[in-house]
Amino acid sequence: MGKENSKICALFVTSLMVIFVVPFSHGLTNGQDVYAINSFYVALGSPPLPGWVSTGGDPCAEGWQGVQCVGSNISTIVINGANLGGQLGDQLMNFSSIVTIDLSNNQIGGSIPNNLPTTIKTFFLSANQFTGSIPDSLSTLTLLSAMSLNDNLLTGELPDAFQSLTGLINFDLSSNNLSGQLPRSLQSLSALTTLHVQNNQLTGTLDVLQDLPLKDLNIENNLFLGPVPEKMLNIPNFKRDGNPLNTTVASSPSPLTSPPSSSEGPTASATPGKSANGPSSQDGSQSKRSRKSRKTILIVAFVAIGVIVCIVGVLLVAMLLIRCCEKQSKLERTTMRPEAGGYKGTKEKPKGNNSLIEHTAETKKVPVLQEVVQKPMKESQIDTVGMEKVSQKPSEQREMDMARMGVIAPTPPAEKVTVNAIGPAELPRDLSLPTSFTVGSLQQYTNSFAPENLIGVGMLGSVFRAELPDGQLLAVKKLDSSVPQGEESFLNLVSNISKLQHANVVKLVGYCVEHKQQLLVYEYCGGGTLNDIIHSGDELNQKLTWNARIQIALGAARALEYLHEVCQPPVVHRNFKSANLLLDNELLTVRASDCGLASLISSGSVRQLSGNILSSLGYGAPEFIQSGAYTLKSDVYSYGVVMLELLTGRKSHDSSRPRGEQHLARWAINHLHDIASLSRMVDPSLNGGYLEKSLSQFADIISICIQSQPEFRPPMSEIVQSLLRMMPREPISRRSNHDSSSN
């Protein structure tokens, strides 16, 4: 009775709040949503989130951190990796039309509430401290398409409540303490392509999953029994190790052995001539004859195998002799043939070279680059593929190429990039992969991924500083388990990234795929991120003179030019922002990070997260925000926002500013062509240390980059050329503002 009375009182208070608060809420945000987010904020323990308050407020108009709205209704809450605690509370159901809730990588505890908003489509609570069981009310979320509850402390059995979740595509329950059998209602998930339930205590058979359109299934380290249904063997990415499954397959008897004799064990009923205690003398003689016949068959079989082996051996030796003779004959003919023109190599192409290129293009495992960059080539290798020697190229042309593209090698035909002459059969699997590290070694170098070595946290995982025994520093990106990726796909990704070689792209030096962990090891950039330097305080910001900012903008542009126009096929970055631009200790050379990871960002739940982050941070191009379409021109827009940060010293999105100035690109677009307004926009820390002409040229580049229509944005090669014309003739240095202004 006490519990019922408390529930009645809570319902009564909620009703009063809705009745009296909603009508008198003034502002853009729906009053019901204001009440819901206030209650949610209190349940979390009122953490220090910019803009958030426990009573009232206007989340949509005031731009609360991680909150997005459609009209006057809150549609999205994304607060990932913010060290939130507390609980979710019981008021989530009061959100009127919320679509996405992402609270991954926090410390939120308690149970998952029963009353969830029925409008929710994506619900991510991974890597928290949730306890209890998964609620039966899951059945009310009929619009749900993606749900991640992995890496929590959930217990109990899965509810039999999936009948109505026909739109669920991605479902992750891995690394909890769930038990019991898979419920029958899982058969209703007709759209499910990704299911991760590894590292639990689930048992029973897998029959309920056999008719689902699964592409990625991980059931490792559970207690599943019985045979794997034949239909499930066709799942492209199926991991099932660590289960007591019956993996034996019934097969027909071998031709070298006879069927088991009836004398090998007692039958259910006695037969004439055989007692229950043992075989009769007649059965004994039959058994001897049977054994003799088996021996005879075995002897004949071994003799036949021996004869076949000898024949095959003779044929192989004969084939080798014939091939040797043919090669010798061709060599003699080649040496007798006079040289033609300037060609000095043999006219016979190395065998396997074409097949290697065809294999690479067919499987699309690595991007074929139009230019071989930063790798010295032997003269004989260059001659073999029909290219001019590097030493024969005029020095003036090489300097122009280096200034424009940041590369030092000539441009061979695309089909002749591969100079390796071995064929696919001889190609080791990891030939194109960088150094392979073990988890143990990376734990040693990062002090077990200690918090003091944490460099940053992104949408794909965390980055840690690693120090090798020889003192070399590396950056280790530890991919989240929520990023769906099989081992083969990961190795293909590593191979692709290792091909990206450019002075303005962070170099991948190694990788690790072990113990269900996937890590990328990069070179270390000691200057920090451009975002930190611009926005962390005056001391660092003042080191960026106007000329240094032009130099940084040029380096960032060259990185995108390389990805967009040199790599074939072109590489879309998809997450270009100042936090992904790393500087050296002198704050002059900039390198773009996260290059080549677009396939991870565009997969599953990360795609929704990437859209939310780019939009909420102000880097998302209009076409991406409106339709989710992301192209090379979307990268150009994000680049323009980075240039705006360099120009103004402002954040790409700053909720602490007046409403009209919070979104940097939208605010700045109307002030870039008026020199008076432009002067007022410039970062105050520059103290006037720039020329008006240079400032105007910089603003013109920004203006065309952040055009609302993508077709009006220029290719990155044009931007590079425009910035090259702005570069001062004297070397860039870390001069003081006084020195800069005096020039």
Side-chain angles (χ1 to χ4, degrees), residues 82-99:
N83 200 31
L84 300 178
Q87 301 182 5
L88 292 184
D90 296 324
Q91 304 302 326
L92 293 180
M93 61 178 178
N94 289 314
F95 283 104
S96 60
S97 56
I98 194 165
V99 175

Side-chain angles (χ1 to χ4, degrees), residues 339-361:
E339 293 182 357
Y343 186 81
K344 299 181 180 180
T346 60
K347 290 192 175 182
E348 180 187 5
K349 293 184 179 180
K351 291 186 178 181
N353 197 29
N354 290 336
S355 60
L356 176 60
I357 296 172
E358 291 169 0
H359 175 74
T360 304

Side-chain angles (χ1 to χ4, degrees), residues 31-106:
Q32 181 178 339
D33 283 355
V34 173
Y35 167 70
I37 200 169
N38 289 158
S39 303
F40 171 60
Y41 183 58
V42 172
L44 291 178
S46 301
L49 294 174
W52 288 57
V53 294
S54 56
T55 304
D58 196 352
C60 296
E62 296 169 359
W64 291 16
Q65 180 177 334
V67 177
Q68 292 187 35
C69 301
V70 174
S72 61
N73 297 323
I74 295 176
S75 63
T76 300
I77 297 178
V78 177
I79 314 174
N80 197 319
N83 200 31
L84 300 178
Q87 301 182 5
L88 292 184
D90 296 324
Q91 304 302 326
L92 293 180
M93 61 178 178
N94 289 314
F95 283 104
S96 60
S97 56
I98 194 165
V99 175
T100 297
I101 295 178
D102 183 0
L103 304 171
S104 303
N105 302 298
N106 286 291

Side-chain angles (χ1 to χ4, degrees), residues 557-578:
R558 279 175 163 162
L560 280 183
E561 179 191 35
Y562 170 74
L563 296 176
H564 290 184
E565 302 178 33
V566 178
C567 296
Q568 291 296 328
V571 177
V572 180
H573 191 286
R574 201 181 177 89
N575 192 21
F576 197 85
K577 55 187 178 181
S578 58

Side-chain angles (χ1 to χ4, degrees), residues 598-620:
S599 60
L600 296 184
I601 298 172
S602 61
S603 63
S605 59
V606 183
R607 179 178 183 179
Q608 178 69 30
L609 177 59
S610 69
N612 294 334
I613 290 180
L614 287 178
S615 301
S616 62
L617 295 181
Y619 294 99

Side-chain angles (χ1 to χ4, degrees), residues 18 22 46 53 91 95 157 177 194-195 204 241 252 271 397 405 407 443 557 600-601 652 662 743:
V18 173
V22 172
S46 301
V53 294
Q91 304 302 326
F95 283 104
E157 298 184 0
N177 295 310
T194 300
L195 176 62
D241 294 339
S252 58
T271 58
Q397 184 63 36
M405 306 295 287
V407 297
Q443 286 180 331
L600 296 184
I601 298 172
S652 56
Q662 292 179 2
N743 292 332

